[in-house]
Amino acid sequence: MPQLRELRVGQGIDIHPLVSGRRFILGGVPIPYSKGLAGHSDADALIHAIVDALLGATGQPDIGSLFPNTQKRWKDLDSREFLRIVWGKLKRQGWEVLNIDATVLAEAPKLSPHYPAMKASLAGLLGITPDRVGLKATTTEQLGFVGRKEGILASAVVLLMRG
Ligand code: MG
């Protein structure tokens, strides 16, 4: 009997505040803006959402449990390292990514000029081609914390396959 392929879907959401004096890094790509994202690591909300989606798909504890912000070793860390660690582990368990799809809510900066670089960055980290990375951004029409430019929200879904 042929072994059945196993498919898993996962989703993740992350929010970080926008503050002065920090670099704005999203999807592993530095983006010019007057403010940056605040957090214990580099606060790359998009990568954090993707990491949580991967962890969710495989029923593991979330990013905050794996990399607690009380631990100095994760302070100001390049969030690509979180993704490398988590994805490396899943790869060794036989998982591959079929696709990811992400949406960022941000009133500013304008992200569309940076889509190609962000998609290439994420695809490279996951070992997939950029056409398997969906990336969109929207404002919230000036509503709420995103609309007031106090922070951004990133959400992501992933589809994994094994077997
Ligand atoms: Mg986060």
XYZ file of all heavy atoms in Angstrom, residues 13-16 38-39 41 43-45 48-49 63 79, ligand 1:
97
model
N -0.054 34.904 13.504
C -0.321 36.356 13.515
C 0.682 37.004 14.463
O 0.987 36.442 15.516
C -1.762 36.655 14.004
C -2.780 36.162 12.973
C -1.960 38.150 14.272
C -4.225 36.336 13.407
N 1.182 38.173 14.083
C 2.064 38.892 15.004
C 1.870 40.395 14.842
O 1.547 40.880 13.761
C 3.527 38.519 14.748
C 4.415 38.931 15.908
O 3.942 38.944 17.058
O 5.591 39.261 15.661
N 2.090 41.081 15.942
C 1.941 42.541 15.991
C 3.174 43.121 16.672
O 3.653 42.559 17.670
C 0.679 42.928 16.815
C -0.593 42.527 16.063
C 0.666 44.420 17.149
C -1.861 42.618 16.907
N 3.715 44.183 16.128
C 4.781 44.912 16.827
C 4.542 46.418 16.710
O 4.046 46.889 15.676
C 6.158 44.558 16.261
C 6.682 43.261 16.802
N 7.340 43.161 18.010
C 6.604 42.002 16.326
C 7.669 41.888 18.234
N 7.229 41.157 17.228
N 9.462 47.747 17.305
C 10.022 47.504 18.641
C 9.751 46.073 19.059
O 8.682 45.521 18.789
C 9.387 48.464 19.650
N 10.736 45.474 19.730
C 10.584 44.117 20.241
C 11.907 43.640 20.804
O 12.914 44.339 20.720
N 13.642 40.910 19.818
C 14.518 40.604 18.682
C 14.498 41.810 17.743
O 14.215 42.918 18.165
C 13.997 39.359 17.957
O 12.718 39.628 17.404
N 12.227 42.245 15.806
C 10.774 42.516 15.751
C 10.188 42.388 14.343
O 9.239 43.075 13.985
C 10.451 43.885 16.360
N 10.756 41.497 13.563
C 10.269 41.249 12.198
C 8.950 40.468 12.283
O 8.917 39.237 12.326
C 11.332 40.440 11.427
C 11.015 40.289 9.949
O 9.826 40.226 9.604
O 11.970 40.216 9.154
N 7.851 41.238 12.322
C 6.526 40.635 12.567
C 6.152 39.612 11.492
O 5.471 38.622 11.790
C 5.467 41.739 12.633
N 7.992 36.421 12.196
C 7.417 35.811 13.405
C 6.088 35.118 13.088
O 5.816 34.024 13.589
C 7.199 36.868 14.493
C 8.481 37.459 15.020
N 8.521 38.367 16.050
C 9.773 37.273 14.633
C 9.778 38.710 16.290
N 10.557 38.066 15.438
N 5.265 35.757 12.250
C 3.978 35.142 11.883
C 4.214 33.851 11.100
O 3.512 32.856 11.306
C 3.152 36.136 11.060
N 6.193 30.572 19.033
C 7.508 31.225 18.980
C 7.898 31.814 20.343
O 9.068 31.769 20.731
C 7.522 32.307 17.861
C 8.918 32.889 17.647
C 6.505 33.415 18.126
C 9.030 33.773 16.411
N 15.707 37.990 13.015
C 14.633 36.993 13.107
C 14.755 35.891 12.071
O 14.128 34.838 12.201
C 13.262 37.666 12.972
O 12.998 38.409 14.132
Mg 6.865 38.984 17.372
